[in-house]
Amino acid sequence: MGNSVKYIATSIAWSGISKILNTALKFISIPLLLHYFGKESFGLITLAVATNAYMQLLDMGMNYGTVRFFSQWIVAKNYDLLNRVARTNITFYLCLGAINCLVLLMLAWQGNSLFKITSEQFITFRYLLYILAGMSVINWTAFVFNQLLIADEKIAFVHQMMSVRTVANFLIVLLTIHFKWSLIQYFLYDSMLNMLIIAPCCFMSKKRRLIQSILPALYWKDFSIVFKYSIAVFAMGIFQFTALQSRPLVLGMFSPQGQGAVSVTNYRVLEVFSIFVISIGGMLLQILLPKASGFVQQNDRKSIEKLAYEGTKYNTIGVAILCYLVMLNAKEILILYVGDTYGHLSIWLSVWMFALLFQIHYFAVSSLVFATGNMRTLVYASCASCVVSIIINAGLCVKFGAGSAVIGYVVYVIILMSFHYLYYNSRILKLSSRRIFRSFIIPAMLGLIALLFVESINLSVSSLVFSLIIKSLLWTFIFVVALFLFKQLSIKQLREIILRRKVEF
């Protein structure tokens, strides 16, 4: 398990660095570009990127499917099969890139009436679409090498390259302002820079002998194994995507007359924080999937149980820190973020964070579920939870406004978790649901008790920032002490992990 500890710790560290760096530099660069190009011109960049981003649905779940199978073949040292499927995967992504290119070109030629922009703005927008279309084929093939490296547990390297690209993108922003480049020039150079990550990832994939040639191949029989599994993941993703994207639409359609826009705005304010927490959880699932796939391939029961029980415990501790700190400071965060008028949403933000804690705690076991390939029941569960959550959102939005979307999400999570605990744990994974729940509930309850204790203390601090800092530090101290007192963490374990990592590095 030593290598697992090193892999997970290093992957989380570099994934976190990449995400924080990207967020921080975007926080700086967006105001710079907004000021330089102006609100309307900068909006064209946002519109072009958003239009292209929607094409990611064409992936059809292949990111999960390939990592799952590639990981198993690497563990089994079946490099010939890995090479055949990887090269066919290049063909698949080249086809997706071609479709992406054609769609963007059609929008550039005939999409004037689809977008509420002026004729002059559409001329510029058309060139932005041309740039994206010209690079789409190459950009899609980058997925192949990313998937190979992630399956080979080189996710740290992938995020190192992403960090380099992020810094380079920021330099392009500075050069644009310094040399007074036009909007089209900036977009061209920035888009070309995004392709630079392909070369080092391709080189590393060949160096690791994960792929013998980058020439496309047509081993469709071998590839169909991955594709059929990915379609199931894609179907589940469609229901999750629908459940997420339908919430503001339902609020806009079923809210009282004149309140639709207000409810949607309130929802978007709340959504910002949930998206960040969910992205952290998604990052963890991506990191654990190669390990889980290897354990399932080898039928390593000891490692599977260790990942399920201990992974759930440590996962819960990490997510609890994020969720409880937001819950504890919900009102202060909302006021500092968008102003006093949104402070009343703090109760819904807290409920949403608690639902996320309940959902994301299971991601360690979810990696094992994905690794088994038994996805049919999960697709049904996603469909049922999606439909029920939409009905609840529509039925309660008159009374609760944006809160109805949160209530719908809570029900969505409860249905999904019920399927996992009542079916997948015992029947598919042969694990104890009671032990998994115990690994979750003890650190979760310790965090909740610490939160209630801090809330009971009347801190008379006039500054919202100081109040947030003091409450956060106090809760963290109490939570960490409680984890040691109740033997959820031990100094001996931490010392062993640190010493093991030093030896392995």
Side-chain angles (χ1 to χ4, degrees), residues 376-489:
R376 180 178 296 179
T377 304
L378 197 54
V379 172
Y380 296 151
S382 299
C383 177
S385 55
C386 172
V387 172
V388 173
S389 67
I390 290 174
I391 294 172
I392 290 175
N393 189 6
L396 298 180
C397 65
V398 173
K399 184 175 182 180
F400 295 106
S404 66
V406 179
I407 296 172
Y409 179 74
V410 170
V411 175
Y412 174 86
V413 170
I414 291 173
I415 294 174
L416 275 182
M417 289 299 100
S418 298
F419 271 88
H420 281 295
Y421 272 93
L422 298 177
Y423 177 74
Y424 274 102
N425 290 348
S426 57
R427 294 193 180 186
I428 304 301
L429 299 175
K430 310 301 180 184
L431 297 169
S432 168
S433 289
R434 181 178 296 179
R435 283 190 64 183
I436 293 172
F437 186 73
R438 186 174 181 273
S439 298
F440 157 68
I441 199 63
I442 294 177
M445 288 303 298
L446 292 176
L448 181 60
I449 293 170
L451 182 145
L452 295 175
F453 177 78
V454 174
E455 288 282 18
S456 68
I457 302 174
N458 187 17
L459 295 173
S460 55
V461 181
S462 57
S463 170
L464 287 176
V465 176
F466 282 121
S467 174
L468 187 151
I469 293 173
I470 292 172
K471 288 200 298 183
S472 298
L473 291 175
L474 181 58
W475 178 88
T476 303
F477 175 76
I478 295 172
F479 182 54
V480 171
V481 170
L483 290 173
F484 280 104
L485 289 177
F486 285 84
K487 298 181 180 180
Q488 297 302 294
L489 292 176

Side-chain angles (χ1 to χ4, degrees), residues 187-331:
F187 196 74
L188 174 63
Y189 298 146
D190 185 69
S191 300
M192 290 175 64
L193 223 118
N194 287 334
M195 295 192 302
L196 294 182
I197 192 174
I198 299 175
C201 288
C202 175
F203 173 78
M204 181 60 74
S205 297
K206 294 200 69 176
K207 181 181 178 182
R208 303 278 305 173
R209 298 182 180 178
L210 304 175
I211 189 170
Q212 297 171 14
S213 170
I214 62 173
L215 293 177
L218 297 173
Y219 297 101
W220 294 114
K221 185 177 180 180
D222 296 326
F223 181 78
S224 65
I225 302 171
V226 181
F227 186 72
K228 289 176 182 177
Y229 170 84
S230 300
I231 287 295
V233 177
F234 174 67
M236 185 184 68
I238 286 292
F239 292 123
Q240 292 178 341
F241 182 82
T242 302
L244 175 64
Q245 297 301 322
S246 67
R247 291 170 198 156
L249 295 177
V250 170
L251 290 173
M253 293 168 61
F254 293 93
S255 293
Q257 186 66 31
Q259 294 298 311
V262 175
S263 295
V264 171
T265 300
N266 289 340
Y267 172 79
R268 288 301 186 193
V269 169
L270 295 172
E271 187 185 37
V272 169
F273 303 97
S274 69
I275 287 176
F276 175 75
V277 177
I278 290 172
S279 68
I280 298 297
M283 176 185 75
L284 180 66
L285 183 59
Q286 185 186 51
I287 291 170
L288 291 177
L289 183 55
K291 278 292 178 187
S293 298
F295 296 155
V296 170
Q297 170 70 19
Q298 297 172 314
N299 195 25
D300 186 347
R301 292 303 304 174
K302 182 178 179 181
S303 295
I304 288 173
E305 291 176 3
K306 197 175 186 67
L307 177 60
Y309 303 134
E310 293 194 19
T312 297
K313 179 179 69 173
Y314 292 121
N315 185 29
T316 301
I317 292 171
V319 176
I321 293 173
L322 287 174
C323 292
Y324 280 128
L325 286 179
V326 174
M327 292 167 64
L328 181 67
N329 301 289
K331 190 168 186 178

Side-chain angles (χ1 to χ4, degrees), residues 361-372:
H361 89 273
Y362 195 79
F363 275 19
V365 184
S366 289
S367 66
L368 292 169
V369 173
F370 276 81
T372 63

Side-chain angles (χ1 to χ4, degrees), residues 159-170:
H159 283 282
Q160 287 167 3
M161 294 301 100
M162 288 182 177
S163 299
V164 171
R165 185 184 65 185
T166 298
V167 174
N169 287 141
F170 181 67

Side-chain angles (χ1 to χ4, degrees), residues 96-131:
L96 294 188
I99 295 172
N100 193 164
C101 178
L102 288 174
V103 171
L104 291 175
L105 289 176
M106 288 176 63
L107 288 173
W109 296 331
Q110 304 293 333
N112 194 8
S113 60
L114 295 177
F115 304 99
K116 304 300 181 181
I117 55 180
T118 65
S119 299
E120 292 77 12
Q121 289 174 333
F122 187 77
I123 293 173
T124 302
F125 182 66
R126 175 179 289 161
Y127 281 107
L128 301 185
L129 293 181
Y130 284 155
I131 293 170

